Amino acid sequence: MRLFTATLATETNTFSPLPTSLDNYKESVFFRPGEHPTDAPRMCTAPLFVGRARAKAEGFELIEGSCFAASPAGTTNRADYELMRDEILDQLKKAMPVDGLLLGLHGAMVAHGYDDVEGDLLLKARAIVGPNCVIGVELDPHCHLTMKRVSQADIIVLYKEFPHTDVVERAEDVLDLVLKTLRGQIKPVMSVYDCRQIQSYPTTLQPMRSLVDRIMAMEGKDGILSVSIAHCFPYGDVAEIGTRVLVIADGDKKKADALATKLGDELVSLRGKTTPTYFNVKAGVGEGVAFNDLPVVIADPADNAGGGAPSDNTDILKHLIETRIEDACIGPIWDPIAVRICFDAGLGAKIHLRFGGKIAVTSGQPVDAEVEVIGLKRNAWQRFGPTQVPVGDCAAVRVGGVDVVLIANRTQATGLELFRNVGIEPTEKKIVVVKSTNHFMAAYGPIAKKVIYVDSSGPLKRDPARIPYTKVERPIWPLDADAKPRGLIF
């Protein structure tokens, strides 16, 4: 039995001021066959990682293709996408014949001329391998679950958790289902329900926590093989944006249809009920200061690099400085130039520094202050579940009572190492501000005595009705208040 695996992934914010090129992939995940590290998966490479670990024991040969992935930003350069796509497809042609594919994709990647990158890749892969090859795909729940990709794949499994702490477990599911299909033990059939809504679904909060727990309990029972919820990625202006439910059953399409419909209707009933309360900057910081225990974690989702934002908005930082808040830290602020200046100045130096507020109007105004360089770290990283996320060179500066983490590689806050790399202990701070939507909760949730969400003037608008879509199929809630669910579409 021969299985081919590869990865091509990014999360595209089509409104981002930061275009994505081949260099951005080289800065993140850019592995040719056999080059993938053995310690842990990287972004969207879990199918390769688990396939490599299980191949010998389970009697199949794994043929490794290239793995390309970039941090979220704007639309990928067309020529660069085609170069990476064609490299993987050429590798697949040379690997033929193969019995199955294990593809680690994101699901919200857009390139110039390709609004459905994953659908394009799967269509071309299917043309190479033919109808009898079993194609298994792992996707991020912040994907666009298009009909093109559903029609070309045999098995699609999405991460269930947000934050995405279950990427390895879901890759195991993909491999299990592919192997069982090839061995004739199951006959997977898929059903998709379209809720016609754009919404955020943090699974660390109710009601999503209990819904995910119920879904996981359903799998492997009564002919249900897998259940996935496509949350959608609200900052991708593509036609098939929106929440969808995917159910895979063992040979029984009616059973899959019924469960997809039941869960889809439940999600429709949760419109407006799954997102946390957001404060403005002044109110959010005030709420945190007034709380009588530490640390209080304040999230800045509007400037989340994980959604394609620059991560250099200064709204919260300026408020902390101007109101003389003590025992506070904030990170990450993406500013490679400021990082370099801090390294040039050296640890302990006191310098006048301009930082933040560089990339766009939504970045706010730069901070001009006398700072003390309190921490420096070359080639730093932070944890995100089982993976290591590179943050590049880091510098920590102190402005009054606020410690600021500056980074060279743009990324969101995921692990406590973001602060600890440069000598800041977040558990000892009164206020910890993180630029992230919900991925921070995996590491910061357990230490936080209180979590507050603040809606700054960063580019990731929290209200979808304020996003200037041009391609989205209408009607859809909340853009259209009376939008009805479309129901079963596959």
Side-chain angles (χ1 to χ4, degrees), residues 46-66:
L48 181 151
F49 184 74
V50 302
R52 181 188 280 177
R54 292 171 54 180
K56 184 176 180 180
E58 300 192 33
F60 64 88
E61 179 185 357
L62 188 74
I63 301 97
E64 297 185 12
S66 293

Side-chain angles (χ1 to χ4, degrees), residues 191-465:
S191 296
V192 178
Y193 181 103
D194 187 354
C195 300
R196 301 308 301 150
Q197 63 198 46
I198 301 171
Q199 187 160 304
S200 179
Y201 305 92
T203 61
T204 48
L205 305 174
Q206 296 294 1
M208 288 304 296
R209 179 68 263 149
S210 60
L211 178 57
V212 169
D213 290 341
R214 282 191 284 119
I215 285 172
M216 293 183 70
M218 295 174 185
E219 294 180 329
K221 300 174 183 176
D222 196 28
I224 298 301
L225 302 175
S226 176
V227 182
S228 297
I229 298 174
H231 297 195
C232 88
F233 182 59
Y235 306 105
D237 189 12
V238 297
E240 289 188 72
I241 195 174
T243 304
R244 292 177 171 178
V245 178
L246 168 64
V247 174
I248 306 178
D250 185 6
D252 192 334
K253 185 70 166 67
K254 288 184 178 179
K255 183 173 290 184
D257 286 349
L259 182 55
T261 301
K262 178 183 177 182
L263 294 172
D265 288 343
E266 183 172 348
L267 283 166
V268 172
S269 73
L270 294 178
R271 286 180 178 179
K273 300 176 182 177
T274 62
T275 54
T277 299
Y278 288 96
F279 294 86
N280 63 36
V281 173
K282 181 179 179 180
V285 172
E287 188 92 359
V289 172
F291 192 71
N292 62 5
D293 204 352
L294 61 84
V296 173
V297 175
I298 297 177
D300 183 9
D303 195 34
N304 173 21
S311 194
D312 70 340
N313 180 277
T314 57
D315 288 359
I316 300 176
L317 173 58
K318 277 181 167 288
H319 185 76
L320 293 172
I321 296 170
E322 290 167 1
T323 54
R324 300 181 183 275
I325 301 300
E326 295 291 327
D327 295 322
C329 61
I330 182 171
I333 301 285
W334 179 54
D335 195 330
I337 296 172
V339 170
R340 177 173 175 174
I341 291 172
C342 291
F343 272 91
D344 289 345
L347 191 65
K350 293 184 178 180
I351 60 175
H352 290 280
L353 184 67
R354 168 171 282 198
F355 59 97
K358 283 185 170 63
I359 299 301
V361 172
T362 52
S363 299
Q365 292 299 308
V367 173
D368 291 285
E370 183 178 47
V371 306
E372 179 185 357
V373 180
I374 61 171
L376 297 170
K377 177 75 171 180
R378 295 283 188 191
N379 299 315
W381 54 268
Q382 60 178 334
R383 293 195 183 279
F384 180 44
T387 67
Q388 293 183 3
V389 179
V391 295
D393 294 344
C394 296
V397 298
R398 180 166 292 155
V399 187
V402 183
D403 294 346
V404 185
V405 177
L406 306 170
I407 63 172
N409 286 5
R410 187 180 58 87
T411 187
Q412 66 178 302
T414 58
L416 301 177
E417 297 84 3
L418 176 70
F419 294 99
R420 290 173 175 168
N421 285 329
V422 284
I424 300 169
E425 179 47 58
T427 60
E428 297 175 359
K429 293 294 184 180
K430 170 64 175 175
I431 301 291
V432 179
V433 181
V434 291
K435 290 182 176 287
S436 175
T437 299
N438 204 56
H439 284 333
F440 73 93
M441 282 294 288
Y444 292 85
I447 71 165
K449 297 300 188 294
K450 185 179 180 67
V451 176
I452 298 169
Y453 295 83
V454 166
D455 193 6
S456 71
S457 66
L460 304 186
K461 298 176 177 62
R462 306 314 303 157
D463 180 3

